[in-house]
Amino acid sequence: MNECVLVVDDDREIVKAIAILLEKEGYEVLKAYDGLQALDTLMNHEVRLILLDVMMPKLDGLSTLLKIREKRNLPVIVLSAKSEDTDKVLGLSMGADDYVTKPYNPQELTARVKSHLRRYTSLGGIHEQSGREEIENGRLVYNGPERTLYADGEPVKLTATELKIVELFMRNLGRVFPAEEIYRRVWEEEAYAPENTVMVHIRRIREKIELNPKEPEYVKVVWGIGYKMEKK
């Protein structure tokens, strides 16, 4: 069965164009034209990735994203005409995995979709189970076979992107990773100025695992170099 992508935009021509693009790549495409319709579609279909516009009637993209994140951790790529860094950071901080500005480059869009689906599939253990051990680090335990992080014995709800970052850190305790290397390993592509994207994901991880996210004891910044997971 082909992997299913949900495309959500109130501009029907854009939805149609993206659908044609993705169907040529072999994906099944579902279409929605506002946030409420998108949520309804998610309830009734096995969707693997969402392309989500920001400015929409009835329920805007960011509000839709918050609703999706209450129940699902599947990859969400935000589509928006807004190219300001503040808008990008806002979308990422609310739970998006990636951000593509309109007008989008077709090759770039399909590459992003493929990259996120590949990571989500492998992390979700749909086709493979890598990692055979548990890694303990203070309050945190990463279970390789389950692809789950536990904090104080409770599973932490992480998106596929966040989990990939956490796995990178937990398997390399104490090692400092520059933002560029984190992006390259997690998003599996080269990036121009990835600092904002990585920073927002790090902040979200801290909010989920640290007792005091403003004074983190685990995910530390090493100024001028990058980030690391402190070994406990």
Side-chain angles (χ1 to χ4, degrees), residues 1-2 9 11 15-16 27 29 51-53 56 58 64 75 110 114 116 124 170 176 179 187-188 190 192 210 216:
M1 192 174 93
N2 292 342
D9 196 312
D11 188 324
V15 173
K16 182 179 178 182
Y27 298 112
V29 179
L51 290 166
L52 182 66
D53 184 39
M56 294 186 297
K58 296 185 182 178
T64 304
T110 53
K114 287 178 181 177
H116 283 283
M170 289 291 284
V176 181
W187 278 262
E188 299 178 10
E190 297 297 327
Y192 172 73
E210 302 282 3

Side-chain angles (χ1 to χ4, degrees), residues 76-215:
V76 178
I77 301 175
V78 169
L79 295 170
S80 175
K82 297 180 177 180
S83 58
E84 294 296 322
D85 271 351
T86 51
D87 295 313
K88 179 178 181 179
V89 169
L90 181 61
L92 292 170
S93 65
M94 294 175 78
D97 292 281
D98 212 342
Y99 194 103
V100 176
T101 54
K102 302 174 186 176
Y104 59 87
N105 176 294
Q107 285 76 24
E108 179 191 1
L109 185 62
T110 53
R112 296 280 181 94
V113 167
K114 287 178 181 177
S115 173
H116 283 283
L117 279 171
R118 184 168 61 245
R119 185 163 65 255
Y120 178 64
T121 299
S122 64
L123 283 174
I126 295 164
H127 293 314
E128 59 182 273
Q129 291 285 348
S130 68
R132 295 177 297 278
E133 77 284 9
E134 281 193 349
I135 302 170
E136 294 188 30
N137 189 34
R139 295 171 38 248
L140 305 178
V141 176
Y142 178 72
N143 186 305
E146 289 182 9
R147 301 285 188 152
T148 304
L149 180 75
Y150 293 86
D152 298 313
E154 296 295 322
V156 182
K157 191 175 181 181
L158 298 169
T159 67
T161 304
E162 292 163 0
L163 186 59
K164 184 84 174 193
I165 295 171
V166 165
E167 182 181 39
L168 178 65
F169 285 158
M170 289 291 284
R171 293 190 183 280
N172 298 275
L173 294 173
R175 179 181 166 185
V176 181
F177 289 92
E180 292 82 2
E181 184 177 355
I182 294 172
Y183 193 97
R184 192 168 62 247
R185 284 174 171 244
V186 172
W187 278 262
E188 299 178 10
E189 61 184 21
E190 297 297 327
Y192 172 73
E195 289 81 6
N196 270 346
T197 301
V198 172
M199 176 190 69
V200 172
H201 282 82
I202 294 292
R203 188 171 70 212
R204 286 194 349 224
I205 291 167
R206 282 174 171 165
E207 288 169 354
K208 295 178 180 183
I209 70 171
E210 302 282 3
L211 295 176
N212 181 0
K214 292 182 179 179
E215 295 182 12

